[in-house]
Amino acid sequence: MAKMQFSIFMAVAFLVFSASTNAKTASPPAPMLPPTPAPAPAPDHVNLTELLSVAGPFHTFLDYLLSSGVIETFQNQANNTEEGITIFVPKDDAFKAQKNPPLSNLTKDQLKQLLLSHALPHYYSLSEFKNLSQSGPVNTFAGGQYALKFTDVSGTVRIETLWTRTKVSSSVFSTDPVAVYQVNRVLLPEAIFGTDVPPMPAPAPAPVVSSPSDSPSADSDEANASSPKSSHKNSAHTLAFAPIAMVVSGLVALFL
């Protein structure tokens, strides 16, 4: 009996000892880590479709961009590149005025290239065109055959192709990475329309304004109107003096 009690005592002591040993050797709790900061919000991208739909009016150009899918190319460049984009947008009146050559004869591929030639794959502020004008023709999205030539004269930016000479008439939007500028004419690339440019029509002659000396004056009219009267008056005087002259002639003949 005593041996059994001793065994139970030893078992209990062993369990207590083991528990205390495990408590001492247990690993300390993991330190508290600071909360992970929330990711930075994505930058606000310029929606080109919305921008062109409310500005301008640029409805014709926007319709062409949407129907050809070029708007997706421009939007991807604006959203996902560090270079940005610069777009030259003709107003609706520019398309209405474009008669020769007509745009209605272009194929789908030619129209797409025409639209792509209205944008540069880089963001340019207006002040940067002064240096850009000294670097020669600048490639557009359509490639080197569709390059544009720029000149800057006292802050007025002019754009030139073989077929087109126009200027940037206003800044629609210009915040890196997107610049949209209004132009007065549709940019016509040589790669589509060739080099046989029709001569510019001669300006209409200025209206001929007659000088006062060439037009009849009141003085001359009065002189012309009065001339018959004076001739009749002179004839009357001549007839009145005719008898007197005859009498004088007769008297002279008698004395002779």
Side-chain angles (χ1 to χ4, degrees):
M1 185 67 180
K3 187 181 291 188
M4 182 180 295
Q5 291 177 346
F6 179 78
S7 298
I8 293 173
F9 174 79
M10 291 298 294
V12 173
F14 178 79
L15 291 174
V16 172
F17 178 79
S18 298
S20 63
T21 304
N22 291 336
K24 294 179 180 179
T25 58
S27 59
M32 295 293 293
L33 298 177
T36 304
D44 293 333
H45 296 304
V46 177
N47 188 312
L48 296 176
T49 301
E50 292 183 0
L51 176 63
L52 295 178
S53 64
V54 299
F58 304 125
H59 302 304
T60 304
F61 188 71
L62 178 59
D63 289 344
Y64 281 140
L65 292 179
L66 293 172
S67 62
S68 63
V70 173
I71 190 68
E72 298 175 4
T73 301
F74 290 173
Q75 191 68 65
N76 179 70
Q77 178 75 14
N79 294 355
N80 303 319
T81 68
E82 295 182 357
E83 292 294 320
I85 188 171
T86 300
I87 308 174
F88 303 102
V89 187
K91 292 182 65 175
D92 290 346
D93 291 344
F95 285 95
K96 293 178 182 178
Q98 184 55 52
K99 304 297 184 183
N100 185 27
L103 302 182
S104 58
N105 295 338
L106 299 181
T107 65
K108 289 184 177 180
D109 184 64
Q110 287 175 329
L111 179 60
K112 183 176 182 179
Q113 296 301 106
L114 175 73
L115 298 172
L116 289 171
S117 69
H118 281 70
L120 309 177
H122 186 82
Y123 167 80
Y124 292 102
S125 65
L126 284 175
S127 60
E128 292 179 290
F129 282 101
K130 186 171 185 179
N131 294 331
L132 196 64
S133 64
Q134 302 172 0
S135 61
V138 181
N139 292 348
T140 65
F141 266 94
Q145 292 182 318
Y146 300 82
L148 300 175
K149 182 180 179 181
F150 296 92
T151 55
D152 185 314
V153 180
S154 300
T156 299
V157 179
R158 299 188 180 275
I159 309 174
E160 182 177 342
T161 71
L162 186 64
W163 286 78
T164 308
R165 290 185 180 91
T166 187
K167 67 178 181 179
V168 173
S169 55
S170 68
S171 174
V172 180
F173 183 90
S174 182
T175 300
D176 195 2
V178 176
V180 178
Y181 301 116
Q182 177 182 304
V183 292
N184 295 333
R185 296 183 60 189
V186 180
L187 305 179
L188 304 178
E190 176 185 343
I192 294 177
F193 298 99
T195 58
D196 189 14
V197 181
M200 296 293 291
V208 178
V209 179
S210 58
S211 62
S213 60
D214 296 334
S215 59
S217 62
D219 294 340
S220 60
D221 291 341
E222 293 177 359
N224 293 334
S226 62
S227 56
K229 296 180 181 178
S230 60
S231 60
H232 289 307
K233 192 177 295 184
N234 293 336
S235 300
H237 291 164
T238 302
L239 292 175
F241 284 103
I244 298 174
M246 293 178 63
V247 172
V248 172
S249 298
L251 292 175
V252 171
L254 289 175
F255 284 104
L256 292 174

